[in-house]
Amino acid sequence: MTRLDVARDVPALRAAVARLGRVALVPTMGALHPGHLALVREARRRADAVVASIFVNPLQFDAGADLARYPRDEAADLAQLEAAGCALAWLPEPSAMYPPGFATAVEVPPLAARWEGEHRPGHFRGVATVCCKLFTQVAPALAVFGEKDWQQLQVVRRMARDLDLPLEVVGHPTVREADGLAMSSRNRFLSAEERASAAALPLALREAASLLADGRPAAPALAAAGARLRAAGMGTDYLALVDGATLEPLGRAQPGARLLAAARLGSVRLLDNWAV
Ligand code: PAF
């Protein structure tokens, strides 16, 4: 098994990365689950060594309460990273990432304004800023992101392209539980009853994708999906058919179209998306 090295400040990170050859980065906020470990395995296939960052990024949380309750388990995370063959864990303190006086922000307005951006103002500014910092700190040849956060993947990809950052941003298919629910660190906050209902989200998306692939317009397919979610006790923040790259809404399916959804179940927000 590869021994996992841990860096907690930028000089230690740079010294460790210099020993690793061609590196792939897997950015995370910890509370790792099999979805994250699939990203590490994908990263290992594509590079000499994998660096995983664990940083609960305060800039991307809109409510302090959500930041405070974000699950943290460093020892379990490090054990899982080592078992998955990760070479280096990058665990910066918030004060190392954002020292006093930190004043720079990265924004990608056309991709960040809608959907999650409307419901979580400033969220993607925080994501783009921290990813830009992680990319310049680690200098990886590629970075692997889960497709579960589809909008995040598009924002980060555009940011890297616009800023000529010399890395490839790779998306990895969403890892799902046996009943189809997308794996997420937040699923642990679902009660047993809510957990059972949550499977309605991927089911609604799969059914809508099949209607759309048959040539049905978006409006009735989305209305049927919304009704299924309501029947399962979920409210929807958005449920939309979009162009997968620009995230602009579509009236009908076209190549590269994607269904995007955010649903509320009890106190938990569930995000998912589906290729059409
Ligand atoms: O998807 C996440 O866990 C975070 O948004 C990321 C990409 C690690 C940035 O903080």
Side-chain angles (χ1 to χ4, degrees):
M1 190 158 75
T2 322
R3 206 185 67 77
L4 180 73
D5 214 353
V6 179
R8 295 181 189 271
D9 58 47
V10 173
L13 171 75
R14 294 229 160 102
V17 166
R19 296 191 287 269
L20 291 179
R22 189 171 173 276
V23 156
L25 172 68
V26 177
T28 84
M29 297 204 298
L32 302 183
H33 52 66
H36 293 111
L37 303 178
L39 304 184
V40 173
R41 284 194 298 275
E42 179 65 32
R44 275 184 70 191
R45 272 194 291 278
R46 291 170 176 260
D48 297 335
V50 179
V51 178
S53 58
I54 299 179
F55 180 63
V56 183
N57 176 29
L59 285 193
Q60 70 188 76
F61 286 82
D62 29 27
D66 195 25
L67 173 62
R69 86 163 187 164
Y70 199 83
R72 289 163 170 89
D73 190 346
E74 186 182 304
D77 288 346
L78 294 180
Q80 293 191 78
L81 289 177
E82 181 159 84
C86 181
L88 175 64
W90 168 219
L91 273 63
E93 289 297 327
S95 58
M97 195 60 113
Y98 303 122
F102 181 86
T104 302
V106 180
E107 298 209 59
V108 191
L111 291 176
R114 285 184 197 267
W115 318 124
E116 275 309 278
E118 252 169 55
H119 291 272
R120 305 181 64 190
H123 171 68
F124 287 118
R125 185 188 313 122
V127 170
T129 302
V130 81
C131 287
C132 189
K133 288 205 65 158
L134 290 168
F135 293 169
T136 52
Q137 289 164 342
V138 178
L142 61 124
V144 186
F145 290 79
E147 287 184 350
K148 176 182 161 282
D149 296 303
W150 184 263
Q151 187 173 8
Q152 166 172 282
L153 175 61
Q154 307 317 312
V155 167
V156 171
R157 212 170 242 159
R158 180 76 68 89
M159 181 268 290
R161 195 188 75 187
D162 288 354
L163 298 181
D164 298 316
L165 300 181
L167 82 162
E168 185 190 356
V169 176
V170 175
H172 186 273
T174 303
V175 179
R176 297 180 180 277
E177 304 283 359
D179 64 359
L181 180 66
M183 288 193 185
S184 164
S185 307
R186 290 188 165 93
N187 291 352
R188 67 187 71 190
F189 296 126
L190 295 167
S191 67
E193 198 185 328
E194 288 165 352
R195 173 63 193 82
S197 304
L201 178 56
L203 184 59
L205 292 177
R206 184 155 56 85
E207 287 171 349
S210 143
L211 291 174
L212 291 160
D214 283 347
R216 302 274 286 277
L222 295 174
R228 179 177 276 287
L229 296 179
R230 276 193 300 285
M234 275 183 252
T236 46
D237 281 353
Y238 55 86
L239 181 57
L241 177 69
V242 303
D243 178 287
T246 65
L247 307 179
E248 292 297 322
L250 298 173
R252 277 182 188 277
Q254 65 182 37
R258 201 96 194 170
L259 283 162
L260 294 187
R264 280 171 279 101
L265 189 53
S267 66
V268 182
R269 263 181 107 242
L270 300 172
L271 298 193
D272 206 347
N273 65 87
W274 209 271
V276 179

